[in-house]
Amino acid sequence: MKDPEGSILWFMKAINEGDRVDSALKDMAVVMKQLDRSEEAIEAIKSFRYLCSKLAQESLDNVLLDLFKTCGKVEEQIVLLKQKLRQIYEGKLFNGKPIKIARSHGKKIQVTITQETARVLGNLGWAYMQKGNFMAAEVVYKKAQMIYADSNKACNLAQCLIKQARYDEARYILEDVWRGNYLGSDDTKTKNRVEELLLELDLKQPPPFLQNIPGLDLDDDFVNGLDHLINEWAQPKSRRLPIFEEISTFRDQLAC
């Protein structure tokens, strides 16, 4: 687009004149985002969406979600995602149809209501993660995986478990992804992310000989305190063999 600022004026003119308002409002919001005017785009959708058709509302919600992410409006994301889940429950999403036609990378694809439900739940889980509410995120991701499992949500679920110090559960899921048991497991980015999370696990998880000891609660403070105690007990030792210790002592005596 050669003149994005000028196009916004044309979109506004179309909206005010009632000329293809559905596409004009959506396209204007997209251009505003490209110009780092996401806050204005949010207000524009909120102000003019009542002029749009019923069929356009779902698409506008998706644009709003993207804008909320850009602006870091986590609470607004959660409210809108819960609203979308309510629409699914009431049979209102996809205008009551089980499948819709969408575009992905310029190609038309079929999206089932099951896939959409899992996608919305995945986005809700991610929003809870941004708030640091990993327990809520875990519950949502598990629901999403029951409906339509994939490697991305599996990794996010593992990350939630790591944040809750539930390392064995997280490792089990990550190893499952690594073995290719989820949709998208073979993707290079997924493989890299699994490696990063496993590395994080190795850094945080206590050594095997300290695990599963009856009655031992290995919280972080305990492990850190134990390490500190061991370091204080350990006396500095020479790495030289005893024979070299004896030679060194004999040399010192000669020097005297």
Side-chain angles (χ1 to χ4, degrees):
M1 191 173 291
K2 294 181 180 179
D3 183 16
E5 293 286 357
S7 69
I8 291 174
L9 296 176
W10 281 105
F11 289 137
M12 279 301 304
K13 184 174 183 291
I15 292 168
N16 290 326
E17 293 178 355
D19 182 16
R20 291 183 290 181
V21 180
D22 292 1
S23 60
L25 180 55
K26 180 181 175 182
D27 292 344
M28 183 175 73
V30 171
V31 172
M32 283 181 165
K33 181 191 173 187
Q34 292 170 351
L35 295 173
D36 293 325
R37 294 167 60 180
S38 294
E39 294 278 1
E40 292 178 65
I42 290 171
E43 292 306 314
I45 292 177
K46 288 181 177 179
S47 300
F48 298 114
R49 70 181 304 167
Y50 77 96
L51 296 171
C52 298
S53 68
K54 184 179 178 181
L55 292 173
Q57 299 304 318
E58 183 188 334
S59 179
L60 289 171
D61 281 342
N62 291 334
V63 175
L64 261 183
L65 279 171
D66 189 44
L67 292 168
F68 286 153
K69 287 181 183 178
T70 301
C71 296
K73 295 180 179 292
V74 179
E75 285 293 345
E76 287 84 348
Q77 289 179 58
I78 291 173
V79 170
L80 187 51
L81 288 165
K82 285 183 175 180
Q83 179 183 309
K84 288 178 78 69
L85 288 171
R86 193 176 302 112
Q87 290 172 346
I88 292 172
Y89 177 76
E90 294 172 354
K92 294 179 180 178
L93 210 67
F94 292 8
N95 297 301
K97 297 177 182 178
I99 295 173
K100 78 169 183 179
I101 303 298
R103 284 192 172 274
S104 177
H105 305 292
K107 296 181 179 179
K108 287 185 178 181
I109 59 169
Q110 282 190 341
V111 180
T112 66
I113 195 69
T114 302
Q115 291 171 320
E116 182 67 6
T117 304
R119 187 187 72 83
V120 173
L121 284 169
N123 286 337
L124 181 59
W126 182 253
Y128 277 128
M129 286 181 72
Q130 303 316 297
K131 283 190 68 178
N133 191 344
F134 298 106
M135 289 181 68
E138 176 198 345
V139 171
V140 171
Y141 276 125
K142 283 183 174 178
K143 292 289 185 185
Q145 290 294 76
M146 289 170 64
I147 296 169
Y148 193 83
D150 64 43
S151 58
N152 182 54
K153 293 193 292 292
C155 287
N156 288 343
L157 175 57
Q159 190 171 352
C160 290
L161 295 169
I162 292 172
K163 293 294 184 180
Q164 297 175 72
R166 290 159 61 188
Y167 304 127
D168 288 336
E169 295 173 69
R171 188 179 296 277
Y172 179 84
I173 292 172
L174 291 172
E175 289 176 350
D176 234 14
V177 176
W178 188 259
R179 285 192 290 265
N181 293 336
Y182 288 98
L183 181 69
S185 294
D186 294 333
D187 184 72
T188 303
K189 289 183 179 178
T190 299
K191 291 285 188 184
N192 291 339
R193 190 175 180 206
V194 170
E195 287 180 350
E196 290 171 3
L197 289 170
L198 284 172
L199 179 60
E200 183 180 347
L201 260 179
D202 290 339
L203 293 173
K204 289 186 175 184
Q205 195 168 22
F209 69 87
L210 285 178
Q211 296 182 41
N212 303 320
I213 301 176
L216 181 58
D217 182 15
L218 286 179
D219 55 76
D220 289 341
D221 289 338
F222 176 85
V223 174
N224 292 335
L226 187 60
D227 288 343
H228 181 71
L229 188 61
I230 291 173
N231 288 336
E232 284 203 348
W233 281 347
Q235 296 296 323
K237 297 179 179 178
S238 171
R239 294 184 180 178
R240 293 181 295 182
L241 294 172
I243 185 62
F244 292 108
E245 294 286 356
E246 293 174 11
I247 293 172
S248 179
T249 302
F250 181 66
R251 188 189 300 118
D252 293 339
Q253 291 174 352
L254 287 176
C256 294

